[in-house]
Amino acid sequence: MGVKCRAALAIVFILLLLGLLWLHGNLNSPWESCLKVYNQQDKTVFHRNESSQGDSDSLELCPGQTFQISLLYSHLRGAPVGTDDVLLQPYLSSWDELIKFLSAMGPLVGAISTEIETKTSIIRELAKQEEERSRIKRRSGTRAEGKNSDTPNAIMVPSSSVESNSPGAYDSVRSMISTELSRDLVNFEGHTDSGCRTLLRLHRALEWLKLFMQRLGEGPEPLSGRMRKPSDLCREAYQKTLAHHHPWWIRHMAELAFIALPERTFFYRLICVQNQEEASAILDKVVHAAEVVYNSTQRALEEHNMLDLP
């Protein structure tokens, strides 16, 4: 291979990496993620779905792997609140695992995880800011109560006890939507980094990955009896979902990137199974859990006309 040919391939590779930061938003320093040590821990306080704790229908951890499909399944199972709402802590934790899933699929597809991680960080930062705002408000209320304690026959109702029983602004999808609408933070005409707009981008990406995993779990084709390549499955899943929200140049770059996806046996190792039968059983559980989360989020966004936020 000549020097010119190698140079051309290098340019194409760089363009692919840049083009794959496709979730709309900033191409914020994509190379910085290569220098960061990924840290899944987050100190933001969210309400948790206690009913998911100790669930017997769980998957085992896979030793020696970064991506854990068992953790992904656990977070997805813990996210829904009934059929109408989704808790943000387990929702974002599920994205922590999906980011690792994307990163394991190679540098071209893994480049997408940089922008997705930016999206999850936006919502987490908003939740931290809200938590600090509430903490300051509670402190102010406590001081006010102290001043009023000398008032004869005063009836004291600690503000902290009232607030602790009410959902936080960024505890769930619906509480976030309600809060941001009431504060006029959602722009239906232009770009903003509101939690609702950011959630919509993650929601669209979840549909793509959910469909890809569903296709991976399917058996051989009826006529040929052959197993389809993951690269073809991923491209088709993308075409049916995220492609509708991307300009043509990102669509073409993405489809080129899918060509480089590893073979099916790689995905067996990634989800810690030995064959297609085992893969189908596990992926069916994960896809079903993701479907519940996706449908609840879809209904909440649709009810508030947020499926097309710019």
Side-chain angles (χ1 to χ4, degrees), residues 209-234:
L209 290 177
K210 176 174 64 69
L211 183 57
F212 175 48
M213 288 186 175
Q214 179 182 329
R215 294 286 189 262
L216 274 178
E218 295 174 351
E221 291 184 299
L223 296 179
S224 66
R226 295 180 179 179
M227 301 297 296
R228 301 189 62 197
K229 293 182 178 180
S231 56
D232 294 335
L233 300 177
C234 194

mmCIF file with all atom_site columns, all heavy atoms in Angstrom, residues 209-234:
data_model
loop_
_atom_site.group_PDB
_atom_site.id
_atom_site.type_symbol
_atom_site.label_atom_id
_atom_site.label_alt_id
_atom_site.label_comp_id
_atom_site.label_asym_id
_atom_site.label_entity_id
_atom_site.label_seq_id
_atom_site.pdbx_PDB_ins_code
_atom_site.Cartn_x
_atom_site.Cartn_y
_atom_site.Cartn_z
_atom_site.occupancy
_atom_site.B_iso_or_equiv
_atom_site.pdbx_formal_charge
_atom_site.auth_seq_id
_atom_site.auth_comp_id
_atom_site.auth_asym_id
_atom_site.auth_atom_id
_atom_site.pdbx_PDB_model_num
ATOM 1   N N   . LEU A 1 209 ? -30.458 0.671   19.921 1.00 0.00 ? 209 LEU A N   1
ATOM 2   C CA  . LEU A 1 209 ? -29.748 -0.429  20.575 1.00 0.00 ? 209 LEU A CA  1
ATOM 3   C C   . LEU A 1 209 ? -30.698 -1.549  20.978 1.00 0.00 ? 209 LEU A C   1
ATOM 4   O O   . LEU A 1 209 ? -30.340 -2.730  20.937 1.00 0.00 ? 209 LEU A O   1
ATOM 5   C CB  . LEU A 1 209 ? -28.987 0.091   21.793 1.00 0.00 ? 209 LEU A CB  1
ATOM 6   C CG  . LEU A 1 209 ? -27.785 0.974   21.469 1.00 0.00 ? 209 LEU A CG  1
ATOM 7   C CD1 . LEU A 1 209 ? -27.139 1.504   22.754 1.00 0.00 ? 209 LEU A CD1 1
ATOM 8   C CD2 . LEU A 1 209 ? -26.756 0.210   20.649 1.00 0.00 ? 209 LEU A CD2 1
ATOM 9   N N   . LYS A 1 210 ? -31.897 -1.189  21.367 1.00 0.00 ? 210 LYS A N   1
ATOM 10  C CA  . LYS A 1 210 ? -32.901 -2.196  21.712 1.00 0.00 ? 210 LYS A CA  1
ATOM 11  C C   . LYS A 1 210 ? -33.218 -3.072  20.507 1.00 0.00 ? 210 LYS A C   1
ATOM 12  O O   . LYS A 1 210 ? -33.278 -4.313  20.616 1.00 0.00 ? 210 LYS A O   1
ATOM 13  C CB  . LYS A 1 210 ? -34.161 -1.491  22.216 1.00 0.00 ? 210 LYS A CB  1
ATOM 14  C CG  . LYS A 1 210 ? -35.331 -2.406  22.521 1.00 0.00 ? 210 LYS A CG  1
ATOM 15  C CD  . LYS A 1 210 ? -36.482 -1.637  23.143 1.00 0.00 ? 210 LYS A CD  1
ATOM 16  C CE  . LYS A 1 210 ? -37.060 -0.602  22.196 1.00 0.00 ? 210 LYS A CE  1
ATOM 17  N NZ  . LYS A 1 210 ? -37.775 -1.233  21.040 1.00 0.00 ? 210 LYS A NZ  1
ATOM 18  N N   . LEU A 1 211 ? -33.404 -2.452  19.353 1.00 0.00 ? 211 LEU A N   1
ATOM 19  C CA  . LEU A 1 211 ? -33.711 -3.209  18.145 1.00 0.00 ? 211 LEU A CA  1
ATOM 20  C C   . LEU A 1 211 ? -32.511 -4.041  17.703 1.00 0.00 ? 211 LEU A C   1
ATOM 21  O O   . LEU A 1 211 ? -32.673 -5.187  17.258 1.00 0.00 ? 211 LEU A O   1
ATOM 22  C CB  . LEU A 1 211 ? -34.134 -2.258  17.026 1.00 0.00 ? 211 LEU A CB  1
ATOM 23  C CG  . LEU A 1 211 ? -34.558 -2.916  15.705 1.00 0.00 ? 211 LEU A CG  1
ATOM 24  C CD1 . LEU A 1 211 ? -35.698 -3.905  15.929 1.00 0.00 ? 211 LEU A CD1 1
ATOM 25  C CD2 . LEU A 1 211 ? -34.964 -1.849  14.690 1.00 0.00 ? 211 LEU A CD2 1
ATOM 26  N N   . PHE A 1 212 ? -31.307 -3.503  17.848 1.00 0.00 ? 212 PHE A N   1
ATOM 27  C CA  . PHE A 1 212 ? -30.107 -4.256  17.488 1.00 0.00 ? 212 PHE A CA  1
ATOM 28  C C   . PHE A 1 212 ? -29.978 -5.513  18.350 1.00 0.00 ? 212 PHE A C   1
ATOM 29  O O   . PHE A 1 212 ? -29.722 -6.613  17.844 1.00 0.00 ? 212 PHE A O   1
ATOM 30  C CB  . PHE A 1 212 ? -28.866 -3.371  17.649 1.00 0.00 ? 212 PHE A CB  1
ATOM 31  C CG  . PHE A 1 212 ? -27.571 -4.090  17.425 1.00 0.00 ? 212 PHE A CG  1
ATOM 32  C CD1 . PHE A 1 212 ? -27.378 -4.909  16.320 1.00 0.00 ? 212 PHE A CD1 1
ATOM 33  C CD2 . PHE A 1 212 ? -26.520 -3.940  18.325 1.00 0.00 ? 212 PHE A CD2 1
ATOM 34  C CE1 . PHE A 1 212 ? -26.167 -5.579  16.112 1.00 0.00 ? 212 PHE A CE1 1
ATOM 35  C CE2 . PHE A 1 212 ? -25.315 -4.596  18.127 1.00 0.00 ? 212 PHE A CE2 1
ATOM 36  C CZ  . PHE A 1 212 ? -25.140 -5.417  17.024 1.00 0.00 ? 212 PHE A CZ  1
ATOM 37  N N   . MET A 1 213 ? -30.179 -5.366  19.657 1.00 0.00 ? 213 MET A N   1
ATOM 38  C CA  . MET A 1 213 ? -30.101 -6.537  20.546 1.00 0.00 ? 213 MET A CA  1
ATOM 39  C C   . MET A 1 213 ? -31.204 -7.538  20.245 1.00 0.00 ? 213 MET A C   1
ATOM 40  O O   . MET A 1 213 ? -31.000 -8.755  20.338 1.00 0.00 ? 213 MET A O   1
ATOM 41  C CB  . MET A 1 213 ? -30.187 -6.088  22.003 1.00 0.00 ? 213 MET A CB  1
ATOM 42  C CG  . MET A 1 213 ? -28.949 -5.382  22.506 1.00 0.00 ? 213 MET A CG  1
ATOM 43  S SD  . MET A 1 213 ? -29.054 -5.036  24.284 1.00 0.00 ? 213 MET A SD  1
ATOM 44  C CE  . MET A 1 213 ? -27.402 -4.356  24.574 1.00 0.00 ? 213 MET A CE  1
ATOM 45  N N   . GLN A 1 214 ? -32.360 -7.027  19.875 1.00 0.00 ? 214 GLN A N   1
ATOM 46  C CA  . GLN A 1 214 ? -33.450 -7.926  19.505 1.00 0.00 ? 214 GLN A CA  1
ATOM 47  C C   . GLN A 1 214 ? -33.066 -8.755  18.280 1.00 0.00 ? 214 GLN A C   1
ATOM 48  O O   . GLN A 1 214 ? -33.303 -9.975  18.239 1.00 0.00 ? 214 GLN A O   1
ATOM 49  C CB  . GLN A 1 214 ? -34.708 -7.123  19.209 1.00 0.00 ? 214 GLN A CB  1
ATOM 50  C CG  . GLN A 1 214 ? -35.905 -7.964  18.780 1.00 0.00 ? 214 GLN A CG  1
ATOM 51  C CD  . GLN A 1 214 ? -37.116 -7.106  18.450 1.00 0.00 ? 214 GLN A CD  1
ATOM 52  O OE1 . GLN A 1 214 ? -37.315 -6.032  19.028 1.00 0.00 ? 214 GLN A OE1 1
ATOM 53  N NE2 . GLN A 1 214 ? -37.916 -7.555  17.510 1.00 0.00 ? 214 GLN A NE2 1
ATOM 54  N N   . ARG A 1 215 ? -32.473 -8.099  17.294 1.00 0.00 ? 215 ARG A N   1
ATOM 55  C CA  . ARG A 1 215 ? -32.045 -8.809  16.089 1.00 0.00 ? 215 ARG A CA  1
ATOM 56  C C   . ARG A 1 215 ? -30.933 -9.826  16.400 1.00 0.00 ? 215 ARG A C   1
ATOM 57  O O   . ARG A 1 215 ? -30.888 -10.921 15.832 1.00 0.00 ? 215 ARG A O   1
ATOM 58  C CB  . ARG A 1 215 ? -31.559 -7.803  15.044 1.00 0.00 ? 215 ARG A CB  1
ATOM 59  C CG  . ARG A 1 215 ? -32.638 -6.881  14.513 1.00 0.00 ? 215 ARG A CG  1
ATOM 60  C CD  . ARG A 1 215 ? -33.560 -7.625  13.568 1.00 0.00 ? 215 ARG A CD  1
ATOM 61  N NE  . ARG A 1 215 ? -34.456 -6.713  12.884 1.00 0.00 ? 215 ARG A NE  1
ATOM 62  C CZ  . ARG A 1 215 ? -35.711 -6.466  13.252 1.00 0.00 ? 215 ARG A CZ  1
ATOM 63  N NH1 . ARG A 1 215 ? -36.194 -7.062  14.336 1.00 0.00 ? 215 ARG A NH1 1
ATOM 64  N NH2 . ARG A 1 215 ? -36.477 -5.638  12.572 1.00 0.00 ? 215 ARG A NH2 1
ATOM 65  N N   . LEU A 1 216 ? -30.022 -9.449  17.311 1.00 0.00 ? 216 LEU A N   1
ATOM 66  C CA  . LEU A 1 216 ? -28.954 -10.373 17.694 1.00 0.00 ? 216 LEU A CA  1
ATOM 67  C C   . LEU A 1 216 ? -29.509 -11.635 18.354 1.00 0.00 ? 216 LEU A C   1
ATOM 68  O O   . LEU A 1 216 ? -28.917 -12.715 18.268 1.00 0.00 ? 216 LEU A O   1
ATOM 69  C CB  . LEU A 1 216 ? -27.983 -9.690  18.665 1.00 0.00 ? 216 LEU A CB  1
ATOM 70  C CG  . LEU A 1 216 ? -26.840 -8.869  18.080 1.00 0.00 ? 216 LEU A CG  1
ATOM 71  C CD1 . LEU A 1 216 ? -26.031 -8.239  19.212 1.00 0.00 ? 216 LEU A CD1 1
ATOM 72  C CD2 . LEU A 1 216 ? -25.939 -9.714  17.187 1.00 0.00 ? 216 LEU A CD2 1
ATOM 73  N N   . GLY A 1 217 ? -30.637 -11.475 19.036 1.00 0.00 ? 217 GLY A N   1
ATOM 74  C CA  . GLY A 1 217 ? -31.222 -12.621 19.722 1.00 0.00 ? 217 GLY A CA  1
ATOM 75  C C   . GLY A 1 217 ? -32.025 -13.542 18.832 1.00 0.00 ? 217 GLY A C   1
ATOM 76  O O   . GLY A 1 217 ? -32.403 -14.637 19.252 1.00 0.00 ? 217 GLY A O   1
ATOM 77  N N   . GLU A 1 218 ? -32.278 -13.140 17.608 1.00 0.00 ? 218 GLU A N   1
ATOM 78  C CA  . GLU A 1 218 ? -33.065 -13.966 16.698 1.00 0.00 ? 218 GLU A CA  1
ATOM 79  C C   . GLU A 1 218 ? -32.232 -15.111 16.130 1.00 0.00 ? 218 GLU A C   1
ATOM 80  O O   . GLU A 1 218 ? -31.011 -15.017 16.017 1.00 0.00 ? 218 GLU A O   1
ATOM 81  C CB  . GLU A 1 218 ? -33.631 -13.103 15.570 1.00 0.00 ? 218 GLU A CB  1
ATOM 82  C CG  . GLU A 1 218 ? -34.637 -12.071 16.052 1.00 0.00 ? 218 GLU A CG  1
ATOM 83  C CD  . GLU A 1 218 ? -35.083 -11.133 14.951 1.00 0.00 ? 218 GLU A CD  1
ATOM 84  O OE1 . GLU A 1 218 ? -34.475 -11.177 13.851 1.00 0.00 ? 218 GLU A OE1 1
ATOM 85  O OE2 . GLU A 1 218 ? -36.021 -10.346 15.182 1.00 0.00 ? 218 GLU A OE2 1
ATOM 86  N N   . GLY A 1 219 ? -32.900 -16.176 15.771 1.00 0.00 ? 219 GLY A N   1
ATOM 87  C CA  . GLY A 1 219 ? -32.227 -17.347 15.235 1.00 0.00 ? 219 GLY A CA  1
ATOM 88  C C   . GLY A 1 219 ? -31.886 -17.195 13.757 1.00 0.00 ? 219 GLY A C   1
ATOM 89  O O   . GLY A 1 219 ? -31.947 -16.101 13.197 1.00 0.00 ? 219 GLY A O   1
ATOM 90  N N   . PRO A 1 220 ? -31.542 -18.305 13.109 1.00 0.00 ? 220 PRO A N   1
ATOM 91  C CA  . PRO A 1 220 ? -31.160 -18.261 11.690 1.00 0.00 ? 220 PRO A CA  1
ATOM 92  C C   . PRO A 1 220 ? -32.340 -17.904 10.792 1.00 0.00 ? 220 PRO A C   1
ATOM 93  O O   . PRO A 1 220 ? -33.501 -18.041 11.181 1.00 0.00 ? 220 PRO A O   1
ATOM 94  C CB  . PRO A 1 220 ? -30.663 -19.685 11.413 1.00 0.00 ? 220 PRO A CB  1
ATOM 95  C CG  . PRO A 1 220 ? -31.318 -20.529 12.457 1.00 0.00 ? 220 PRO A CG  1
ATOM 96  C CD  . PRO A 1 220 ? -31.450 -19.659 13.667 1.00 0.00 ? 220 PRO A CD  1
ATOM 97  N N   . GLU A 1 221 ? -32.011 -17.444 9.602  1.00 0.00 ? 221 GLU A N   1
ATOM 98  C CA  . GLU A 1 221 ? -33.059 -17.100 8.636  1.00 0.00 ? 221 GLU A CA  1
ATOM 99  C C   . GLU A 1 221 ? -33.808 -18.359 8.218  1.00 0.00 ? 221 GLU A C   1
ATOM 100 O O   . GLU A 1 221 ? -33.210 -19.428 8.039  1.00 0.00 ? 221 GLU A O   1
ATOM 101 C CB  . GLU A 1 221 ? -32.431 -16.438 7.407  1.00 0.00 ? 221 GLU A CB  1
ATOM 102 C CG  . GLU A 1 221 ? -31.874 -15.051 7.693  1.00 0.00 ? 221 GLU A CG  1
ATOM 103 C CD  . GLU A 1 221 ? -31.360 -14.385 6.429  1.00 0.00 ? 221 GLU A CD  1
ATOM 104 O OE1 . GLU A 1 221 ? -30.435 -14.948 5.819  1.00 0.00 ? 221 GLU A OE1 1
ATOM 105 O OE2 . GLU A 1 221 ? -31.894 -13.326 6.071  1.00 0.00 ? 221 GLU A OE2 1
ATOM 106 N N   . PRO A 1 222 ? -35.127 -18.264 8.054  1.00 0.00 ? 222 PRO A N   1
ATOM 107 C CA  . PRO A 1 222 ? -35.939 -19.453 7.735  1.00 0.00 ? 222 PRO A CA  1
ATOM 108 C C   . PRO A 1 222 ? -35.528 -20.146 6.441  1.00 0.00 ? 222 PRO A C   1
ATOM 109 O O   . PRO A 1 222 ? -35.472 -21.373 6.376  1.00 0.00 ? 222 PRO A O   1
ATOM 110 C CB  . PRO A 1 222 ? -37.360 -18.883 7.629  1.00 0.00 ? 222 PRO A CB  1
ATOM 111 C CG  . PRO A 1 222 ? -37.326 -17.618 8.420  1.00 0.00 ? 222 PRO A CG  1
ATOM 112 C CD  . PRO A 1 222 ? -35.943 -17.068 8.246  1.00 0.00 ? 222 PRO A CD  1
ATOM 113 N N   . LEU A 1 223 ? -35.227 -19.383 5.394  1.00 0.00 ? 223 LEU A N   1
ATOM 114 C CA  . LEU A 1 223 ? -34.952 -19.984 4.092  1.00 0.00 ? 223 LEU A CA  1
ATOM 115 C C   . LEU A 1 223 ? -33.525 -20.525 3.987  1.00 0.00 ? 223 LEU A C   1
ATOM 116 O O   . LEU A 1 223 ? -33.307 -21.672 3.616  1.00 0.00 ? 223 LEU A O   1
ATOM 117 C CB  . LEU A 1 223 ? -35.207 -18.964 2.979  1.00 0.00 ? 223 LEU A CB  1
ATOM 118 C CG  . LEU A 1 223 ? -36.660 -18.488 2.849  1.00 0.00 ? 223 LEU A CG  1
ATOM 119 C CD1 . LEU A 1 223 ? -36.781 -17.465 1.722  1.00 0.00 ? 223 LEU A CD1 1
ATOM 120 C CD2 . LEU A 1 223 ? -37.597 -19.676 2.585  1.00 0.00 ? 223 LEU A CD2 1
ATOM 121 N N   . SER A 1 224 ? -32.557 -19.703 4.341  1.00 0.00 ? 224 SER A N   1
ATOM 122 C CA  . SER A 1 224 ? -31.159 -20.105 4.179  1.00 0.00 ? 224 SER A CA  1
ATOM 123 C C   . SER A 1 224 ? -30.620 -20.890 5.369  1.00 0.00 ? 224 SER A C   1
ATOM 124 O O   . SER A 1 224 ? -29.673 -21.652 5.230  1.00 0.00 ? 224 SER A O   1
ATOM 125 C CB  . SER A 1 224 ? -30.283 -18.864 3.957  1.00 0.00 ? 224 SER A CB  1
ATOM 126 O OG  . SER A 1 224 ? -30.275 -18.044 5.120  1.00 0.00 ? 224 SER A OG  1
ATOM 127 N N   . GLY A 1 225 ? -31.208 -20.698 6.536  1.00 0.00 ? 225 GLY A N   1
ATOM 128 C CA  . GLY A 1 225 ? -30.703 -21.368 7.731  1.00 0.00 ? 225 GLY A CA  1
ATOM 129 C C   . GLY A 1 225 ? -29.419 -20.759 8.258  1.00 0.00 ? 225 GLY A C   1
ATOM 130 O O   . GLY A 1 225 ? -28.779 -21.318 9.156  1.00 0.00 ? 225 GLY A O   1
ATOM 131 N N   . ARG A 1 226 ? -29.034 -19.598 7.743  1.00 0.00 ? 226 ARG A N   1
ATOM 132 C CA  . ARG A 1 226 ? -27.793 -18.951 8.155  1.00 0.00 ? 226 ARG A CA  1
ATOM 133 C C   . ARG A 1 226 ? -28.070 -17.855 9.183  1.00 0.00 ? 226 ARG A C   1
ATOM 134 O O   . ARG A 1 226 ? -29.119 -17.234 9.180  1.00 0.00 ? 226 ARG A O   1
ATOM 135 C CB  . ARG A 1 226 ? -27.080 -18.337 6.944  1.00 0.00 ? 226 ARG A CB  1
ATOM 136 C CG  . ARG A 1 226 ? -26.602 -19.359 5.918  1.00 0.00 ? 226 ARG A CG  1
ATOM 137 C CD  . ARG A 1 226 ? -25.912 -18.658 4.757  1.00 0.00 ? 226 ARG A CD  1
ATOM 138 N NE  . ARG A 1 226 ? -25.425 -19.603 3.761  1.00 0.00 ? 226 ARG A NE  1
ATOM 139 C CZ  . ARG A 1 226 ? -24.798 -19.256 2.644  1.00 0.00 ? 226 ARG A CZ  1
ATOM 140 N NH1 . ARG A 1 226 ? -24.611 -17.954 2.373  1.00 0.00 ? 226 ARG A NH1 1
ATOM 141 N NH2 . ARG A 1 226 ? -24.387 -20.180 1.795  1.00 0.00 ? 226 ARG A NH2 1
ATOM 142 N N   . MET A 1 227 ? -27.067 -17.639 10.034 1.00 0.00 ? 227 MET A N   1
ATOM 143 C CA  . MET A 1 227 ? -27.135 -16.540 10.986 1.00 0.00 ? 227 MET A CA  1
ATOM 144 C C   . MET A 1 227 ? -26.645 -15.270 10.299 1.00 0.00 ? 227 MET A C   1
ATOM 145 O O   . MET A 1 227 ? -25.593 -15.276 9.652  1.00 0.00 ? 227 MET A O   1
ATOM 146 C CB  . MET A 1 227 ? -26.263 -16.834 12.217 1.00 0.00 ? 227 MET A CB  1
ATOM 147 C CG  . MET A 1 227 ? -26.655 -18.104 12.964 1.00 0.00 ? 227 MET A CG  1
ATOM 148 S SD  . MET A 1 227 ? -28.320 -18.028 13.663 1.00 0.00 ? 227 MET A SD  1
ATOM 149 C CE  . MET A 1 227 ? -28.125 -16.694 14.830 1.00 0.00 ? 227 MET A CE  1
ATOM 150 N N   . ARG A 1 228 ? -27.370 -14.211 10.446 1.00 0.00 ? 228 ARG A N   1
ATOM 151 C CA  . ARG A 1 228 ? -26.990 -12.955 9.797  1.00 0.00 ? 228 ARG A CA  1
ATOM 152 C C   . ARG A 1 228 ? -25.857 -12.279 10.555 1.00 0.00 ? 228 ARG A C   1
ATOM 153 O O   . ARG A 1 228 ? -25.713 -12.424 11.766 1.00 0.00 ? 228 ARG A O   1
ATOM 154 C CB  . ARG A 1 228 ? -28.196 -12.033 9.708  1.00 0.00 ? 228 ARG A CB  1
ATOM 155 C CG  . ARG A 1 228 ? -29.356 -12.631 8.929  1.00 0.00 ? 228 ARG A CG  1
ATOM 156 C CD  . ARG A 1 228 ? -30.411 -11.590 8.688  1.00 0.00 ? 228 ARG A CD  1
ATOM 157 N NE  . ARG A 1 228 ? -29.899 -10.496 7.880  1.00 0.00 ? 228 ARG A NE  1
ATOM 158 C CZ  . ARG A 1 228 ? -30.475 -9.302  7.781  1.00 0.00 ? 228 ARG A CZ  1
ATOM 159 N NH1 . ARG A 1 228 ? -31.573 -9.047  8.472  1.00 0.00 ? 228 ARG A NH1 1
ATOM 160 N NH2 . ARG A 1 228 ? -29.962 -8.367  7.027  1.00 0.00 ? 228 ARG A NH2 1
ATOM 161 N N   . LYS A 1 229 ? -25.066 -11.499 9.832  1.00 0.00 ? 229 LYS A N   1
ATOM 162 C CA  . LYS A 1 229 ? -23.923 -10.810 10.434 1.00 0.00 ? 229 LYS A CA  1
ATOM 163 C C   . LYS A 1 229 ? -24.397 -9.670  11.334 1.00 0.00 ? 229 LYS A C   1
ATOM 164 O O   . LYS A 1 229 ? -25.331 -8.936  10.977 1.00 0.00 ? 229 LYS A O   1
ATOM 165 C CB  . LYS A 1 229 ? -23.020 -10.243 9.344  1.00 0.00 ? 229 LYS A CB  1
ATOM 166 C CG  . LYS A 1 229 ? -22.314 -11.291 8.494  1.00 0.00 ? 229 LYS A CG  1
ATOM 167 C CD  . LYS A 1 229 ? -21.408 -10.615 7.476  1.00 0.00 ? 229 LYS A CD  1
ATOM 168 C CE  . LYS A 1 229 ? -20.653 -11.643 6.651  1.00 0.00 ? 229 LYS A CE  1
ATOM 169 N NZ  . LYS A 1 229 ? -19.757 -10.994 5.649  1.00 0.00 ? 229 LYS A NZ  1
ATOM 170 N N   . PRO A 1 230 ? -23.743 -9.485  12.478 1.00 0.00 ? 230 PRO A N   1
ATOM 171 C CA  . PRO A 1 230 ? -24.089 -8.357  13.348 1.00 0.00 ? 230 PRO A CA  1
ATOM 172 C C   . PRO A 1 230 ? -23.989 -7.004  12.643 1.00 0.00 ? 230 PRO A C   1
ATOM 173 O O   . PRO A 1 230 ? -24.761 -6.096  12.942 1.00 0.00 ? 230 PRO A O   1
ATOM 174 C CB  . PRO A 1 230 ? -23.064 -8.464  14.489 1.00 0.00 ? 230 PRO A CB  1
ATOM 175 C CG  . PRO A 1 230 ? -22.742 -9.916  14.550 1.00 0.00 ? 230 PRO A CG  1
ATOM 176 C CD  . PRO A 1 230 ? -22.760 -10.376 13.122 1.00 0.00 ? 230 PRO A CD  1
ATOM 177 N N   . SER A 1 231 ? -23.044 -6.883  11.714 1.00 0.00 ? 231 SER A N   1
ATOM 178 C CA  . SER A 1 231 ? -22.896 -5.610  10.998 1.00 0.00 ? 231 SER A CA  1
ATOM 179 C C   . SER A 1 231 ? -24.159 -5.285  10.209 1.00 0.00 ? 231 SER A C   1
ATOM 180 O O   . SER A 1 231 ? -24.616 -4.133  10.182 1.00 0.00 ? 231 SER A O   1
ATOM 181 C CB  . SER A 1 231 ? -21.690 -5.670  10.063 1.00 0.00 ? 231 SER A CB  1
ATOM 182 O OG  . SER A 1 231 ? -21.796 -6.765  9.159  1.00 0.00 ? 231 SER A OG  1
ATOM 183 N N   . ASP A 1 232 ? -24.756 -6.296  9.581  1.00 0.00 ? 232 ASP A N   1
ATOM 184 C CA  . ASP A 1 232 ? -25.994 -6.083  8.831  1.00 0.00 ? 232 ASP A CA  1
ATOM 185 C C   . ASP A 1 232 ? -27.159 -5.770  9.766  1.00 0.00 ? 232 ASP A C   1
ATOM 186 O O   . ASP A 1 232 ? -27.998 -4.897  9.474  1.00 0.00 ? 232 ASP A O   1
ATOM 187 C CB  . ASP A 1 232 ? -26.326 -7.315  7.989  1.00 0.00 ? 232 ASP A CB  1
ATOM 188 C CG  . ASP A 1 232 ? -25.296 -7.563  6.889  1.00 0.00 ? 232 ASP A CG  1
ATOM 189 O OD1 . ASP A 1 232 ? -24.646 -6.585  6.471  1.00 0.00 ? 232 ASP A OD1 1
ATOM 190 O OD2 . ASP A 1 232 ? -25.153 -8.721  6.459  1.00 0.00 ? 232 ASP A OD2 1
ATOM 191 N N   . LEU A 1 233 ? -27.197 -6.473  10.890 1.00 0.00 ? 233 LEU A N   1
ATOM 192 C CA  . LEU A 1 233 ? -28.283 -6.262  11.850 1.00 0.00 ? 233 LEU A CA  1
ATOM 193 C C   . LEU A 1 233 ? -28.229 -4.864  12.453 1.00 0.00 ? 233 LEU A C   1
ATOM 194 O O   . LEU A 1 233 ? -29.250 -4.204  12.617 1.00 0.00 ? 233 LEU A O   1
ATOM 195 C CB  . LEU A 1 233 ? -28.197 -7.311  12.965 1.00 0.00 ? 233 LEU A CB  1
ATOM 196 C CG  . LEU A 1 233 ? -28.310 -8.772  12.524 1.00 0.00 ? 233 LEU A CG  1
ATOM 197 C CD1 . LEU A 1 233 ? -28.142 -9.689  13.721 1.00 0.00 ? 233 LEU A CD1 1
ATOM 198 C CD2 . LEU A 1 233 ? -29.642 -9.034  11.836 1.00 0.00 ? 233 LEU A CD2 1
ATOM 199 N N   . CYS A 1 234 ? -27.018 -4.422  12.778 1.00 0.00 ? 234 CYS A N   1
ATOM 200 C CA  . CYS A 1 234 ? -26.848 -3.103  13.370 1.00 0.00 ? 234 CYS A CA  1
ATOM 201 C C   . CYS A 1 234 ? -27.203 -2.007  12.374 1.00 0.00 ? 234 CYS A C   1
ATOM 202 O O   . CYS A 1 234 ? -27.843 -1.014  12.732 1.00 0.00 ? 234 CYS A O   1
ATOM 203 C CB  . CYS A 1 234 ? -25.409 -2.931  13.853 1.00 0.00 ? 234 CYS A CB  1
ATOM 204 S SG  . CYS A 1 234 ? -25.163 -1.514  14.945 1.00 0.00 ? 234 CYS A SG  1
#
